[in-house]
């Protein structure tokens, strides 16, 4: 009811506009978390996107912005040198915000629907070669702080294709070493089974039996699979820092994040002949269109497919 009363004030007191529309923003964030059940990190990302939108719009009323104005906003984002993926998410955030205002009856028209699709900003992801992956995964060595944990983290990232946030919240109850799989909770709290190879299992056994055991003895038992040096859940930001640190040690010059290992996992699986829908299930993608981007990465696989199935692609003898 408070939400509606503030809308009535909008007509009588134009000076309340900023406060009223800020309420719209806060209600939108609550809607994403409470009704859409989006992951905490996703909600935080959308909130940051909307903060950029708020910065751009200044004192202008959201309800008075036109498609031309919103196109200027996208141009403003371009000038800030955001990555294609970040640009795409900003557009999704804005369209969701305007759609929410329509659902609540706060706006009659939705100019954000006329913005270009995020597919315009899709970019083929960068991946590591198998040799680069091997150098990265064997980077932590005895003498490094918690080198067994870091090796286990890297092996899990590459073996499962999990996101850093998913490994950060992984619990011991989710890890089934005897059956060689773990239960991963992804975006929207959707769970999926991801399989583990022998190296990932062995690396986790080494971490659990030595460093993790020492941390538990010192700080008490924890439900999380991967712990910080203080016995708490390892933060996803720390996983990013570790990947960057050991990528430099491995001589990898390209920009790399934990997501690079996720991209590499998917690409290498497809290159080895895995079915696209199987990879989609392992990655936890809601749409196969998201997974299809990896078919553009490995050109050697596409070449083999072309040679095998195209009438003029087969070799003549």
């Amino acid at each position: 009811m408070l939400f509606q009363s503030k809308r009535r004030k909008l007509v009588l007191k134009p000076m309340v506009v900023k406060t009223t529309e800020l309420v719209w923003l806060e209600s939108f964030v609550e809607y994403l978390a409470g009704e859409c059940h989006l992951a905490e990190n996703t909600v935080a990302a959308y909130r940051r996107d909307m903060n950029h939108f708020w910065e751009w719009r200044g004192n202008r009323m959201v309800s008075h912005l036109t498609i031309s104005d919103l196109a200027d906003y996208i141009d403003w984002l371009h000038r800030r040198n955001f990555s294609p993926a970040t640009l795409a998410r900003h557009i999704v955030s804005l369209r969701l915000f305007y759609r929410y205002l329509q659902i609540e009856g706060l706006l009659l028209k939705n100019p954000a629907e006329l913005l270009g699709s995020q597919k315009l900003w899709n970019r083929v992801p960068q991946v590591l070669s198998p040799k680069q992956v091997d150098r990265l995964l064997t980077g932590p060595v005895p003498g490094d702080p918690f080198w067994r944990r870091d090796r286990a983290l890297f092996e899990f990232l590459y073996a499962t294709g999990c996101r850093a946030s998913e490994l950060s919240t992984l619990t011991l109850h989710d890890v089934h070493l005897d059956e060689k799989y773990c239960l991963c909770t992804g975006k929207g709290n959707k769970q999926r089974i991801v399989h583990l190879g022998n190296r990932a299992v062995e690396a986790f056994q080494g971490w659990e039996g030595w460093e993790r055991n020492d941390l538990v003895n010192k700080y008490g038992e924890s439900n999380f699979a991967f712990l910080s040096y203080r016995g708490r859940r390892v933060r996803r930001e720390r996983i990013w820092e570790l990947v960057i640190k050991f990528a430099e040690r491995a001589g990898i010059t390209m920009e790399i994040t934990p997501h690079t290992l996720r991209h590499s996992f998917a690409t290498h699986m497809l290159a080895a002949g895995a079915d696209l829908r199987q990879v989609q299930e392992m990655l936890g993608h809601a749409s196969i269109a998201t997974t299809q981007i990896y078919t553009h990465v490995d050109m050697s696989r596409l070449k083999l497919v072309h040679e095998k199935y195209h009438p003029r692609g087969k070799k003549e003898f």
Side-chain angles (χ1 to χ4, degrees), residues 2 14 20 30-32 44 65 93 103 143 195-196 201 281 310:
L2 175 62
T20 300
E30 292 174 5
Y31 164 77
L32 293 177
L65 295 175
S93 303
I103 292 172
H195 297 277
L196 301 169
V201 170
E281 185 176 343
H310 194 279

Side-chain angles (χ1 to χ4, degrees), residues 119-231:
K119 292 181 180 179
L120 294 174
W121 286 273
N122 272 347
R123 178 179 60 179
V124 175
Q126 288 187 308
V127 300
L128 300 174
S129 69
K131 288 184 178 179
Q132 287 175 316
V133 170
D134 188 62
R135 294 205 307 270
L136 174 63
L137 268 54
T138 57
V141 293
D144 290 324
F146 299 102
W147 68 276
R148 291 185 177 89
R149 180 203 63 185
D150 297 345
R151 278 205 178 187
L153 270 171
F154 293 171
E155 289 286 355
F156 265 54
L157 283 171
Y158 182 59
T160 65
C162 281
R163 304 172 179 89
S165 57
E166 293 169 346
L167 285 192
S168 174
T169 56
L170 193 71
T171 69
L172 279 180
H173 297 299
D174 296 328
V175 180
H176 302 267
L177 297 181
D178 291 339
E179 294 84 4
K180 295 183 180 179
Y181 78 89
C182 60
L183 189 63
C184 171
T185 303
K187 292 184 177 181
N189 289 324
K190 294 180 181 178
Q191 291 188 319
R192 68 185 188 278
I193 292 176
V194 290
H195 297 277
L196 301 169
N198 290 332
R199 291 190 180 184
V201 170
E202 291 169 2
F204 192 87
Q205 288 173 334
W207 145 247
E208 186 178 25
W210 290 82
E211 296 164 353
R212 191 182 190 284
N213 187 53
D214 291 342
L215 288 170
V216 168
N217 289 335
K218 184 175 182 180
Y219 295 105
E221 185 56 80
S222 171
N223 190 37
F224 293 105
F226 293 102
L227 305 179
S228 70
Y229 70 97
R230 291 187 177 179

